[in-house]
Amino acid sequence: SANLSVFHDSSGLGYELLADAVLALDPHNRITAARICQPLIRWRHLDLHRQTLIKTQLNRILATESLSNDVYEMVSKSLQ
């Protein structure tokens, strides 16, 4: 959250990087993985382009097999 201009770059690479980190961490530490989802679940206050990019990453996380209940709950609730 310290470098918002890069994280919210219009390329979506910041969102992809965070989603990659969530997916890599989830099998090892589900609670921390769920916590680092926070910047992605606050997508509603962003412009439409960035909302679409974030929702793509959230759906990618949800599509992952053997996703922990913690991460699943956090991500699925944010998309409702």
Coordinates of all heavy atoms in Angstrom, one line a residue:
S1 N 0.8 -1.2 0.0 CA 0.0 0.0 0.0 C 0.8 1.3 0.0 O 0.3 2.3 -0.1 CB -0.9 0.0 1.2 OG -0.2 0.1 2.4
A2 N 2.2 1.1 0.1 CA 3.0 2.3 0.1 C 3.3 2.9 -1.2 O 3.7 4.0 -1.3 CB 4.3 1.9 0.8
N3 N 3.1 2.2 -2.3 CA 3.4 2.7 -3.6 C 2.1 2.5 -4.5 O 2.1 1.8 -5.5 CB 4.6 1.9 -4.2 CG 5.2 2.6 -5.4 OD1 4.5 3.6 -6.0 ND2 6.3 2.2 -5.8
L4 N 1.1 3.3 -4.2 CA -0.2 3.2 -4.9 C -0.1 3.5 -6.4 O -0.9 2.9 -7.1 CB -1.2 4.0 -4.2 CG -1.6 3.6 -2.8 CD1 -2.6 4.5 -2.1 CD2 -2.1 2.1 -2.8
S5 N 0.7 4.4 -6.7 CA 0.7 4.8 -8.2 C 1.2 3.6 -9.0 O 0.8 3.4 -10.1 CB 1.6 6.0 -8.4 OG 2.9 5.8 -8.0
V6 N 2.1 2.8 -8.5 CA 2.6 1.7 -9.3 C 1.6 0.5 -9.1 O 1.3 -0.2 -10.1 CB 4.0 1.3 -8.8 CG1 4.5 0.0 -9.5 CG2 5.0 2.4 -9.1
F7 N 1.1 0.3 -7.9 CA 0.2 -0.8 -7.7 C -1.0 -0.6 -8.6 O -1.5 -1.6 -9.2 CB -0.2 -0.9 -6.2 CG -1.2 -2.0 -6.0 CD1 -0.9 -3.3 -6.0 CD2 -2.5 -1.6 -5.6 CE1 -1.8 -4.3 -5.8 CE2 -3.5 -2.7 -5.4 CZ -3.1 -4.0 -5.5
H8 N -1.6 0.6 -8.7 CA -2.8 0.8 -9.5 C -2.4 1.3 -11.0 O -3.3 1.9 -11.6 CB -3.6 1.9 -8.8 CG -4.3 1.4 -7.6 ND1 -5.2 0.5 -7.5 CD2 -4.0 1.8 -6.3 CE1 -5.6 0.2 -6.3 NE2 -4.9 1.1 -5.5
D9 N -1.3 0.9 -11.4 CA -0.9 1.2 -12.8 C -1.9 0.6 -13.8 O -2.5 -0.5 -13.5 CB 0.5 0.6 -13.1 CG 1.0 1.0 -14.5 OD1 1.4 2.2 -14.7 OD2 0.9 0.1 -15.4
S10 N -2.2 1.3 -14.8 CA -3.3 0.9 -15.8 C -3.0 -0.4 -16.5 O -3.9 -1.0 -17.1 CB -3.6 2.0 -16.8 OG -2.4 2.2 -17.6
S11 N -1.8 -0.9 -16.4 CA -1.4 -2.2 -17.0 C -2.0 -3.4 -16.2 O -2.2 -4.5 -16.8 CB 0.1 -2.4 -17.1 OG 0.6 -2.5 -15.8
G12 N -2.3 -3.2 -14.9 CA -2.8 -4.2 -14.1 C -1.8 -5.2 -13.5 O -2.1 -6.1 -12.9
L13 N -0.5 -4.9 -13.8 CA 0.6 -5.7 -13.3 C 0.7 -5.8 -11.8 O 1.0 -6.8 -11.2 CB 1.9 -5.3 -13.9 CG 2.0 -5.6 -15.4 CD1 3.4 -5.0 -16.0 CD2 1.9 -7.1 -15.7
G14 N 0.3 -4.7 -11.1 CA 0.3 -4.7 -9.7 C -0.7 -5.7 -9.1 O -0.5 -6.4 -8.1
Y15 N -1.9 -5.7 -9.7 CA -2.9 -6.6 -9.3 C -2.5 -8.0 -9.5 O -2.8 -8.9 -8.7 CB -4.2 -6.3 -10.0 CG -4.6 -4.8 -10.0 CD1 -5.2 -4.2 -11.1 CD2 -4.4 -4.1 -8.8 CE1 -5.6 -2.9 -11.1 CE2 -4.8 -2.7 -8.8 CZ -5.4 -2.1 -9.9 OH -5.7 -0.8 -9.9
E16 N -1.9 -8.3 -10.7 CA -1.5 -9.6 -11.0 C -0.4 -10.1 -10.1 O -0.4 -11.3 -9.6 CB -1.0 -9.6 -12.5 CG -0.6 -11.0 -13.0 CD -0.1 -11.0 -14.4 OE1 -0.3 -10.0 -15.1 OE2 0.4 -12.1 -14.8
L17 N 0.5 -9.2 -9.7 CA 1.6 -9.6 -8.8 C 1.0 -10.0 -7.4 O 1.4 -11.0 -6.8 CB 2.6 -8.4 -8.7 CG 3.7 -8.6 -7.7 CD1 4.7 -9.7 -8.2 CD2 4.5 -7.3 -7.5
L18 N 0.1 -9.2 -7.0 CA -0.5 -9.5 -5.7 C -1.3 -10.8 -5.7 O -1.3 -11.6 -4.8 CB -1.4 -8.3 -5.2 CG -2.0 -8.5 -3.8 CD1 -0.9 -8.7 -2.8 CD2 -2.8 -7.3 -3.4
A19 N -2.1 -11.0 -6.8 CA -2.8 -12.3 -6.9 C -1.8 -13.5 -7.0 O -2.1 -14.5 -6.3 CB -3.7 -12.2 -8.2
D20 N -0.7 -13.3 -7.7 CA 0.3 -14.4 -7.7 C 0.8 -14.6 -6.3 O 1.0 -15.8 -5.9 CB 1.5 -14.0 -8.6 CG 1.2 -14.0 -10.1 OD1 0.1 -14.5 -10.4 OD2 1.9 -13.4 -10.8
A21 N 1.0 -13.6 -5.5 CA 1.5 -13.7 -4.1 C 0.5 -14.5 -3.3 O 0.8 -15.3 -2.5 CB 1.9 -12.4 -3.5
V22 N -0.8 -14.1 -3.4 CA -1.8 -14.8 -2.7 C -1.8 -16.2 -3.0 O -1.9 -17.1 -2.1 CB -3.2 -14.1 -3.0 CG1 -4.3 -14.9 -2.4 CG2 -3.2 -12.7 -2.4
L23 N -1.8 -16.6 -4.3 CA -1.8 -18.0 -4.7 C -0.6 -18.8 -4.2 O -0.7 -19.9 -3.9 CB -2.0 -18.1 -6.2 CG -3.4 -17.5 -6.7 CD1 -3.4 -17.5 -8.2 CD2 -4.5 -18.4 -6.1
A24 N 0.5 -18.1 -4.2 CA 1.8 -18.8 -3.8 C 1.8 -19.0 -2.3 O 2.2 -20.0 -1.8 CB 3.0 -18.0 -4.2
L25 N 1.2 -18.1 -1.5 CA 1.2 -18.1 -0.1 C 0.1 -19.0 0.5 O 0.3 -19.6 1.5 CB 1.2 -16.7 0.5 CG 1.3 -16.5 2.0 CD1 2.7 -17.1 2.4 CD2 1.2 -15.0 2.3
D26 N -1.0 -19.1 -0.2 CA -2.2 -19.7 0.4 C -1.9 -21.2 0.8 O -2.4 -21.5 1.9 CB -3.3 -19.7 -0.7 CG -4.6 -20.2 -0.1 OD1 -5.0 -19.8 1.0 OD2 -5.3 -21.1 -0.7
P27 N -1.2 -22.0 0.1 CA -1.0 -23.4 0.6 C -0.2 -23.5 1.9 O -0.2 -24.4 2.6 CB -0.3 -24.1 -0.6 CG -0.5 -23.2 -1.7 CD -0.7 -21.8 -1.2
H28 N 0.6 -22.4 2.1 CA 1.5 -22.4 3.3 C 1.0 -21.6 4.5 O 1.3 -22.0 5.6 CB 2.9 -21.9 2.8 CG 3.4 -22.6 1.6 ND1 3.9 -23.9 1.7 CD2 3.5 -22.2 0.3 CE1 4.3 -24.2 0.5 NE2 4.0 -23.2 -0.4
N29 N 0.3 -20.6 4.2 CA -0.2 -19.7 5.3 C -1.5 -19.0 4.8 O -1.5 -17.9 4.3 CB 0.8 -18.7 5.7 CG 0.5 -17.9 6.9 OD1 -0.7 -17.8 7.3 ND2 1.5 -17.5 7.6
R30 N -2.6 -19.7 5.0 CA -3.9 -19.3 4.5 C -4.4 -18.0 5.1 O -5.0 -17.1 4.5 CB -4.9 -20.4 4.7 CG -5.1 -20.8 6.1 CD -6.0 -22.0 6.2 NE -6.1 -22.5 7.6 CZ -6.8 -22.1 8.6 NH1 -7.6 -21.1 8.3 NH2 -6.8 -22.6 9.8
I31 N -4.0 -17.7 6.4 CA -4.5 -16.5 7.1 C -3.8 -15.3 6.5 O -4.4 -14.3 6.2 CB -4.3 -16.6 8.6 CG1 -5.2 -17.7 9.1 CG2 -4.6 -15.3 9.3 CD1 -5.0 -18.1 10.6
T32 N -2.5 -15.4 6.3 CA -1.7 -14.3 5.7 C -2.2 -14.1 4.3 O -2.3 -12.9 3.8 CB -0.2 -14.5 5.8 OG1 0.1 -14.7 7.2 CG2 0.6 -13.4 5.2
A33 N -2.4 -15.1 3.5 CA -2.8 -15.0 2.2 C -4.2 -14.2 2.1 O -4.3 -13.4 1.2 CB -3.0 -16.4 1.5
A34 N -5.1 -14.6 3.0 CA -6.4 -13.9 3.0 C -6.2 -12.4 3.4 O -6.8 -11.5 2.8 CB -7.3 -14.5 4.0
R35 N -5.3 -12.1 4.3 CA -5.0 -10.7 4.7 C -4.4 -9.9 3.6 O -4.8 -8.7 3.5 CB -4.1 -10.7 5.9 CG -4.8 -11.0 7.2 CD -3.9 -10.9 8.4 NE -4.6 -11.3 9.6 CZ -4.0 -11.7 10.7 NH1 -2.7 -11.6 10.8 NH2 -4.7 -12.1 11.7
I36 N -3.5 -10.5 2.8 CA -2.9 -9.6 1.7 C -3.9 -9.5 0.5 O -3.5 -8.7 -0.4 CB -1.5 -10.2 1.3 CG1 -1.6 -11.5 0.6 CG2 -0.6 -10.2 2.5 CD1 -0.3 -11.9 0.0
C37 N -5.0 -10.0 0.6 CA -6.0 -9.8 -0.5 C -6.7 -8.4 -0.3 O -7.4 -7.9 -1.2 CB -7.2 -10.8 -0.4 SG -6.7 -12.5 -0.9
Q38 N -6.5 -7.8 0.9 CA -7.2 -6.6 1.2 C -7.2 -5.5 0.1 O -8.2 -4.9 -0.3 CB -6.7 -6.0 2.5 CG -7.0 -6.7 3.7 CD -8.5 -6.7 4.0 OE1 -9.2 -5.7 3.7 NE2 -9.0 -7.8 4.6
P39 N -6.0 -5.2 -0.5 CA -6.0 -4.2 -1.6 C -6.9 -4.5 -2.8 O -7.4 -3.7 -3.5 CB -4.5 -4.0 -2.0 CG -3.8 -4.6 -0.8 CD -4.6 -5.6 -0.2
L40 N -7.0 -5.9 -3.0 CA -7.8 -6.3 -4.2 C -9.3 -6.2 -3.9 O -10.1 -6.0 -4.8 CB -7.4 -7.7 -4.6 CG -6.0 -7.9 -5.2 CD1 -5.8 -9.4 -5.4 CD2 -5.8 -7.1 -6.4
I41 N -9.7 -6.4 -2.7 CA -11.1 -6.4 -2.4 C -11.7 -5.0 -2.3 O -12.9 -4.9 -2.1 CB -11.5 -7.3 -1.2 CG1 -10.9 -6.7 0.1 CG2 -11.0 -8.7 -1.4 CD1 -11.4 -7.4 1.4
R42 N -10.9 -4.0 -2.4 CA -11.4 -2.6 -2.3 C -11.5 -2.0 -3.7 O -11.1 -0.9 -3.9 CB -10.5 -1.8 -1.4 CG -10.5 -2.3 0.0 CD -9.6 -1.4 0.9 NE -9.5 -2.0 2.2 CZ -8.4 -2.1 2.9 NH1 -7.2 -1.6 2.3 NH2 -8.3 -2.6 4.0
W43 N -12.0 -2.8 -4.6 CA -12.0 -2.4 -6.0 C -13.1 -1.4 -6.4 O -13.0 -0.8 -7.4 CB -12.0 -3.6 -6.9 CG -13.2 -4.6 -6.7 CD1 -13.2 -5.6 -5.8 CD2 -14.5 -4.5 -7.2 NE1 -14.4 -6.2 -5.8 CE2 -15.2 -5.6 -6.7 CE3 -15.1 -3.7 -8.2 CZ2 -16.5 -5.8 -7.0 CZ3 -16.4 -3.9 -8.5 CH2 -17.1 -5.0 -8.0
R44 N -14.2 -1.4 -5.6 CA -15.3 -0.6 -6.0 C -15.1 0.9 -6.2 O -15.8 1.6 -6.9 CB -16.5 -0.9 -5.1 CG -17.1 -2.2 -5.3 CD -18.3 -2.5 -4.4 NE -19.0 -3.7 -4.8 CZ -18.6 -4.9 -4.4 NH1 -17.6 -5.0 -3.6 NH2 -19.3 -6.0 -4.8
H45 N -14.1 1.4 -5.5 CA -13.9 2.9 -5.5 C -13.0 3.3 -6.7 O -12.7 4.5 -6.8 CB -13.3 3.4 -4.2 CG -11.9 3.0 -3.9 ND1 -11.6 1.7 -3.5 CD2 -10.8 3.6 -4.1 CE1 -10.3 1.6 -3.4 NE2 -9.8 2.8 -3.7
L46 N -12.5 2.4 -7.5 CA -11.6 2.7 -8.6 C -12.4 2.9 -9.9 O -13.6 2.6 -10.0 CB -10.6 1.5 -8.8 CG -9.7 1.2 -7.6 CD1 -8.9 0.0 -7.8 CD2 -8.8 2.4 -7.4
D47 N -11.8 3.4 -10.9 CA -12.4 3.6 -12.2 C -12.7 2.2 -12.8 O -12.2 1.2 -12.4 CB -11.5 4.4 -13.1 CG -10.2 3.7 -13.4 OD1 -10.2 2.8 -14.3 OD2 -9.2 4.1 -12.8
L48 N -13.6 2.2 -13.8 CA -14.1 1.0 -14.4 C -13.0 0.1 -15.0 O -13.0 -1.1 -14.9 CB -15.1 1.3 -15.5 CG -15.8 0.2 -16.2 CD1 -16.6 -0.7 -15.1 CD2 -16.8 0.7 -17.3
H49 N -12.0 0.7 -15.6 CA -10.9 -0.1 -16.2 C -10.1 -0.9 -15.1 O -9.9 -2.1 -15.2 CB -9.9 0.9 -16.9 CG -8.7 0.2 -17.4 ND1 -8.7 -0.7 -18.4 CD2 -7.4 0.3 -17.0 CE1 -7.4 -1.2 -18.6 NE2 -6.6 -0.6 -17.7
R50 N -9.8 -0.2 -14.0 CA -9.1 -0.9 -12.9 C -10.0 -1.9 -12.2 O -9.6 -2.9 -11.8 CB -8.5 0.1 -12.0 CG -7.3 0.8 -12.6 CD -6.8 2.0 -11.7 NE -5.6 2.5 -12.3 CZ -5.6 3.4 -13.3 NH1 -6.7 3.8 -13.8 NH2 -4.4 3.9 -13.8
Q51 N -11.3 -1.6 -12.1 CA -12.2 -2.5 -11.5 C -12.2 -3.8 -12.3 O -12.2 -4.9 -11.8 CB -13.7 -2.0 -11.5 CG -13.9 -0.9 -10.5 CD -15.3 -0.4 -10.5 OE1 -16.2 -1.0 -11.1 NE2 -15.6 0.6 -9.8
T52 N -12.2 -3.7 -13.6 CA -12.2 -4.9 -14.5 C -10.9 -5.7 -14.3 O -10.9 -6.9 -14.2 CB -12.4 -4.5 -16.0 OG1 -13.6 -3.7 -16.1 CG2 -12.4 -5.7 -16.9
L53 N -9.8 -5.0 -14.2 CA -8.5 -5.7 -14.0 C -8.5 -6.4 -12.7 O -8.0 -7.6 -12.6 CB -7.4 -4.7 -14.1 CG -7.1 -4.0 -15.5 CD1 -6.1 -2.9 -15.3 CD2 -6.6 -5.0 -16.5
I54 N -9.0 -5.8 -11.7 CA -8.9 -6.4 -10.4 C -9.9 -7.6 -10.3 O -9.6 -8.7 -9.8 CB -9.3 -5.4 -9.2 CG1 -8.1 -4.5 -9.0 CG2 -9.6 -6.2 -7.9 CD1 -8.3 -3.4 -8.0
K55 N -11.1 -7.5 -10.9 CA -12.0 -8.6 -10.9 C -11.5 -9.8 -11.7 O -11.8 -10.9 -11.3 CB -13.4 -8.1 -11.4 CG -14.1 -7.2 -10.4 CD -15.6 -7.0 -10.8 CE -15.8 -6.0 -11.9 NZ -17.2 -5.7 -12.2
T56 N -10.7 -9.5 -12.7 CA -10.1 -10.6 -13.4 C -9.2 -11.4 -12.5 O -9.2 -12.6 -12.5 CB -9.3 -10.0 -14.6 OG1 -10.2 -9.4 -15.5 CG2 -8.5 -11.1 -15.4
Q57 N -8.4 -10.7 -11.7 CA -7.5 -11.4 -10.8 C -8.2 -12.1 -9.7 O -7.9 -13.2 -9.2 CB -6.5 -10.4 -10.2 CG -5.5 -9.8 -11.3 CD -4.8 -10.9 -12.1 OE1 -4.3 -11.8 -11.5 NE2 -4.8 -10.7 -13.4
L58 N -9.3 -11.5 -9.2 CA -10.1 -12.1 -8.1 C -10.7 -13.4 -8.6 O -10.8 -14.4 -8.0 CB -11.2 -11.1 -7.6 CG -10.7 -9.9 -6.8 CD1 -11.8 -8.9 -6.6 CD2 -10.0 -10.4 -5.5
N59 N -11.2 -13.3 -9.9 CA -11.8 -14.6 -10.5 C -10.7 -15.6 -10.7 O -11.0 -16.8 -10.6 CB -12.6 -14.2 -11.8 CG -13.9 -13.5 -11.5 OD1 -14.6 -14.0 -10.6 ND2 -14.2 -12.5 -12.2
R60 N -9.5 -15.2 -11.1 CA -8.4 -16.1 -11.2 C -8.1 -16.8 -9.9 O -7.9 -18.0 -9.8 CB -7.2 -15.4 -11.8 CG -6.0 -16.3 -12.0 CD -4.9 -15.6 -12.7 NE -4.2 -14.6 -12.0 CZ -3.0 -14.8 -11.4 NH1 -2.4 -16.0 -11.5 NH2 -2.5 -13.8 -10.7
I61 N -8.1 -16.1 -8.8 CA -7.9 -16.6 -7.5 C -9.0 -17.7 -7.2 O -8.7 -18.8 -6.7 CB -7.8 -15.5 -6.4 CG1 -6.6 -14.7 -6.6 CG2 -7.9 -16.1 -5.0 CD1 -6.5 -13.4 -5.8
L62 N -10.3 -17.3 -7.4 CA -11.4 -18.2 -7.1 C -11.3 -19.5 -7.9 O -11.8 -20.5 -7.5 CB -12.7 -17.5 -7.4 CG -13.2 -16.5 -6.3 CD1 -14.5 -15.9 -6.7 CD2 -13.3 -17.2 -4.9
A63 N -10.8 -19.4 -9.1 CA -10.7 -20.6 -10.0 C -9.6 -21.6 -9.6 O -9.6 -22.6 -10.2 CB -10.6 -20.1 -11.4
T64 N -8.9 -21.2 -8.7 CA -7.7 -22.1 -8.2 C -8.2 -23.3 -7.4 O -9.0 -23.1 -6.5 CB -6.7 -21.3 -7.4 OG1 -6.3 -20.2 -8.2 CG2 -5.5 -22.1 -7.0
E65 N -7.8 -24.4 -7.8 CA -8.1 -25.6 -7.1 C -7.5 -25.6 -5.7 O -6.4 -25.0 -5.6 CB -7.7 -26.9 -7.8 CG -8.5 -27.2 -9.0 CD -8.1 -28.5 -9.6 OE1 -7.7 -29.5 -8.9 OE2 -8.2 -28.6 -10.9
S66 N -8.1 -26.2 -4.8 CA -7.6 -26.3 -3.4 C -7.3 -25.0 -2.7 O -6.4 -24.9 -1.9 CB -6.4 -27.2 -3.3 OG -5.2 -26.7 -3.9
L67 N -8.1 -24.0 -3.1 CA -8.0 -22.7 -2.4 C -8.5 -22.8 -1.0 O -9.5 -23.5 -0.7 CB -8.9 -21.7 -3.2 CG -8.7 -20.2 -2.9 CD1 -7.3 -19.7 -3.2 CD2 -9.8 -19.4 -3.6
S68 N -7.8 -22.2 -0.1 CA -8.3 -22.3 1.3 C -9.6 -21.6 1.5 O -10.0 -20.7 0.8 CB -7.2 -21.6 2.2 OG -7.2 -20.2 2.1
N69 N -10.3 -22.0 2.5 CA -11.6 -21.4 2.9 C -11.4 -19.9 3.2 O -12.3 -19.1 2.9 CB -12.3 -22.1 4.0 CG -12.8 -23.5 3.6 OD1 -13.0 -23.7 2.5 ND2 -12.9 -24.3 4.6
D70 N -10.3 -19.6 3.9 CA -10.1 -18.2 4.3 C -10.0 -17.2 3.0 O -10.7 -16.2 3.0 CB -8.8 -18.1 5.1 CG -8.9 -18.9 6.3 OD1 -9.4 -18.3 7.3 OD2 -8.4 -20.0 6.3
V71 N -9.2 -17.6 2.1 CA -9.1 -16.8 0.9 C -10.3 -16.8 0.0 O -10.8 -15.8 -0.4 CB -7.8 -17.3 0.0 CG1 -7.8 -16.5 -1.3 CG2 -6.6 -17.1 0.8
Y72 N -10.9 -18.0 -0.1 CA -12.2 -18.1 -0.8 C -13.3 -17.2 -0.3 O -13.9 -16.5 -1.0 CB -12.7 -19.6 -0.8 CG -14.0 -19.7 -1.5 CD1 -14.1 -19.8 -2.9 CD2 -15.2 -19.7 -0.8 CE1 -15.3 -19.9 -3.5 CE2 -16.4 -19.7 -1.4 CZ -16.5 -19.9 -2.8 OH -17.7 -19.9 -3.4
E73 N -13.4 -17.2 1.0 CA -14.4 -16.4 1.7 C -14.2 -14.9 1.4 O -15.1 -14.1 1.1 CB -14.5 -16.6 3.2 CG -15.5 -15.8 3.9 CD -15.6 -16.1 5.4 OE1 -15.0 -17.1 5.8 OE2 -16.2 -15.4 6.1
M74 N -12.9 -14.5 1.6 CA -12.5 -13.1 1.4 C -12.8 -12.6 0.0 O -13.4 -11.6 -0.3 CB -11.1 -12.9 1.8 CG -10.6 -11.5 1.6 SD -10.9 -10.4 3.0 CE -9.9 -11.2 4.3
V75 N -12.4 -13.4 -1.0 CA -12.5 -13.0 -2.4 C -14.0 -13.1 -2.9 O -14.5 -12.2 -3.5 CB -11.6 -13.9 -3.3 CG1 -11.8 -13.7 -4.7 CG2 -10.1 -13.6 -2.9
S76 N -14.6 -14.2 -2.5 CA -16.0 -14.4 -3.0 C -16.9 -13.3 -2.4 O -17.8 -12.8 -3.2 CB -16.5 -15.8 -2.7 OG -16.6 -16.0 -1.3
K77 N -16.7 -12.9 -1.2 CA -17.6 -11.9 -0.6 C -17.3 -10.5 -1.3 O -18.2 -9.7 -1.5 CB -17.3 -11.7 0.9 CG -18.0 -12.8 1.7 CD -17.8 -12.5 3.2 CE -18.5 -13.6 4.0 NZ -18.3 -13.3 5.4
S78 N -16.1 -10.3 -1.7 CA -15.8 -9.0 -2.4 C -16.5 -8.9 -3.7 O -16.7 -7.8 -4.2 CB -14.3 -8.8 -2.5 OG -13.8 -9.6 -3.5
L79 N -16.7 -10.0 -4.4 CA -17.3 -10.0 -5.7 C -18.9 -10.0 -5.7 O -19.5 -9.9 -6.7 CB -16.8 -11.2 -6.5 CG -15.4 -11.2 -6.9 CD1 -14.9 -12.5 -7.5 CD2 -15.2 -10.0 -7.9
Q80 N -19.4 -10.1 -4.5 CA -20.9 -10.1 -4.4 C -21.5 -8.8 -4.6 O -20.9 -7.8 -4.2 CB -21.4 -10.8 -3.1 CG -21.1 -12.2 -3.0 CD -21.5 -12.8 -1.7 OE1 -21.8 -12.1 -0.7 NE2 -21.5 -14.1 -1.6

